[in-house]
């Protein structure tokens, strides 16, 4: 099966512009986040795809710093919510308060009304508070006292969680995991990278980081819309579907990835192509994002977990087995 390439000259120019802005953004973030170009690219893909991102890793590996740095470079409003067992939904989305002067109830919006929301250690809050994010993550809106309010654009939830401290936490339910476009981890730096972190800290002479604004919210929204001009050949669509369908056929899996995974692969592949300056998707775009987009949506059977099987391993095996379409 072969893939047709490209679109009009105007779409190519538009995507070249998106690529330029995206690479400038990643370069600015890389001044702060050392030795993690793949992670920086993944976050950029998530933002361009208008998706939500879950970062799971050990403490001190720059999860929060990654989110904060991207928000500054994007020129977007940034708010952080520390998820704790006593956090209430109203603490996140807001509520209506009685105004004595006007004699009316007026909305008092919570930190959810921002461009980039950091849900720090999201699994430390009870399910009721976690669920307060569901509507915002999927529909970019929230309902308070029966009244729907649109969130500012762009809107992205970036959540963190610590995999080694599970006592007293509330694991995210499958419905919420499915609303994260991507799940990723940071990983420890190498010895040279860790030394470079210290050297840069010494040169700065302060703990804070200086981050330049590269774009602004309206430009981010325009870049997200520009992805609609990226061509996705029917052969690529079939490839995406086959990859996701295979997760439902694996005997080690209790519940395979949902159609939202196919849509996530579609959007993230377009974003990956645009970052590389192409107005068409190739199989490598799909392969490059598949593990981070699909693996966290898989529900393994208990016996598979006991044997140490992971969603990442299954998706990796599927990618090696599904026939890849050929570019013409």
């Amino acid at each position: 099966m072969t893939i047709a390439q490209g679109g009009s000259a105007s779409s190519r120019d538009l995507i070249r512009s998106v690529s330029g802005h995206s690479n400038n953004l990643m370069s600015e973030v890389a001044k702060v986040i050392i030795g993690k170009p793949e992670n920086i690219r993944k976050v950029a893909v998530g933002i361009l795809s208008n998706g939500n991102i879950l970062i799971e890793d050990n403490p001190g590996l720059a999860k929060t710093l990654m989110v904060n740095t991207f928000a500054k470079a994007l020129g977007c409003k940034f708010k952080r919510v520390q998820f704790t067992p006593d956090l209430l939904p109203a603490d996140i989305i807001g509520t209506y308060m009685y105004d004595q002067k006007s004699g009316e109830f007026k909305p008092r919006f919570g930190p959810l009304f921002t461009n980039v929301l950091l849900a720090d250690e999201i699994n430390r809050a009870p399910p009721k508070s976690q669920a307060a994010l569901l509507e915002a993550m999927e529909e970019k809106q929230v309902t308070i006292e029966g009244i729907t309010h649109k969130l500012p654009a762009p809107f992205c939830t970036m959540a963190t969680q610590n995999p080694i401290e599970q006592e007293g936490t509330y694991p995210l339910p499958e419905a919420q995991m499915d609303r994260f476009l991507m799940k990723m981890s940071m990983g420890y730096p190498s010895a040279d990278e860790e030394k470079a972190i210290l050297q840069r800290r010494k040169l700065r002479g302060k703990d804070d980081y200086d981050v330049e604004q590269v774009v602004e919210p309206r430009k981010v929204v325009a870049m997200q819309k520009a992805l609609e001009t990226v061509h996705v050949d029917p052969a690529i669509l079939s490839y995406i579907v086959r990859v996701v369908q295979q997760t439902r056929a694996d005997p080690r899996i209790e519940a395979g990835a949902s159609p939202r995974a196919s849509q996530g692969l579609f959007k993230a592949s377009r974003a990956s192509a645009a970052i590389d300056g192409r107005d068409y998707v190739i199989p490598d775009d799909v392969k490059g994002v598949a593990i981070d987009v699909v693996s966290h949506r898989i529900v393994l059977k208990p016996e598979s977990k006991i044997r140490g099987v992971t969603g990442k391993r299954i998706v990796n095996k599927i990618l090696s087995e599904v026939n890849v379409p050929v570019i013409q």
Side-chain angles (χ1 to χ4, degrees), residues 291-305:
I291 290 177
D292 298 298
V293 171
V294 179
S295 60
H296 64 284
R297 305 171 193 267
I298 293 172
V299 181
L300 296 168
K301 290 181 178 178
E303 55 268 30
S304 300
K305 293 180 183 178

Side-chain angles (χ1 to χ4, degrees), residues 192-205:
D192 289 340
E193 291 164 355
E194 197 158 356
K195 185 178 178 181
I197 292 170
L198 298 179
Q199 287 174 331
R200 290 196 189 183
R201 169 61 183 83
K202 180 181 176 182
L203 290 172
R204 282 198 316 274

